[in-house]
Amino acid sequence: MAVSSWADLPKTCLEIIFSLLDLPDLLNVSLVCKHWHNHLNDEDSMIWRVQCLKRLAEDVLNGDFLSNVPTYKSKLRALYYTWNPNDCSQNVFVKKNGFVLHRSPVAQSTDGARGKRGFETGRHTWEIWWEGPLGTVAVVGIATKDAPMQCPGYTGLLGSNDKSWGWNLVDNFLLHNGDQQGNFPQCNNPPKYEVGERIRVILDMEDNYLAFERGYEFMGVAFRGLPNETLYPAISAVYGNTEVAMVYLGEPVDG
């Protein structure tokens, strides 16, 4: 079948050609014409599947790790939004799959980590879960780029200053500016966090609030009046050899 231009190539040919390209090249070809742009917008096409196969560990791609991330393109996006191995405590390292951090068994230290991407606009959600014991303090939340990611002793590092906001999963207290900001969720006898349970973090930079979900149940807004600056997913942990996973989901689904 004859074609009058590259833009008229059939879908199968485009998928084969585009699958050979790197991500920066895919961004460039998406700007060539509307046809190519629309083709790359198919987030579950062979193109994005091949990109996932190149970059994601097999156990991550084929297991239930990304079970709440529906398309190949969004699975790939999650990899680029997960833990930053260059922005964490020296006692923390990010495992080979990219989605799980490991805290080394160092005594009298509280250690944190930030995500690769921060947000100053839009609405975002991600899942975080502990894959090991929590210890006496295990905090999930957000931080600016200036918030420290290590301190001596066992304490709520995330929320210890005005640069971070956190929820301690051990005692269900909210932490900010070095103070406890009340119980969360605000109900009688809230259930304790269980290892492996996924917490969904919702950051709304349009209305400047941080909220949480657990088991697809909205638990409420934890912090309001967040500053108009770049905020990053973050955690802090104290237990030796514990591990914490994070998966970015994208924009939250209302309702």
Side-chain angles (χ1 to χ4, degrees), residues 1 12-13 15 17 22-23 30 63 84 95 111 114 120 127 137 142 190 192 227 233:
M1 179 179 67
T12 303
C13 292
E15 284 190 338
I17 295 170
D22 290 327
L23 289 175
S30 70
N84 187 344
K95 299 180 72 173
D111 304 288
R114 259 182 293 260
E120 58 183 10
E127 291 179 330
V137 187
I142 53 174
K192 292 290 186 180

Side-chain angles (χ1 to χ4, degrees), residues 91 103-111 150-154 238-240:
N91 301 320
R103 183 194 177 270
S104 300
V106 178
Q108 292 300 317
S109 179
T110 301
D111 304 288
Q150 194 277 332
C151 71
Y154 302 132
V238 300
Y239 199 90

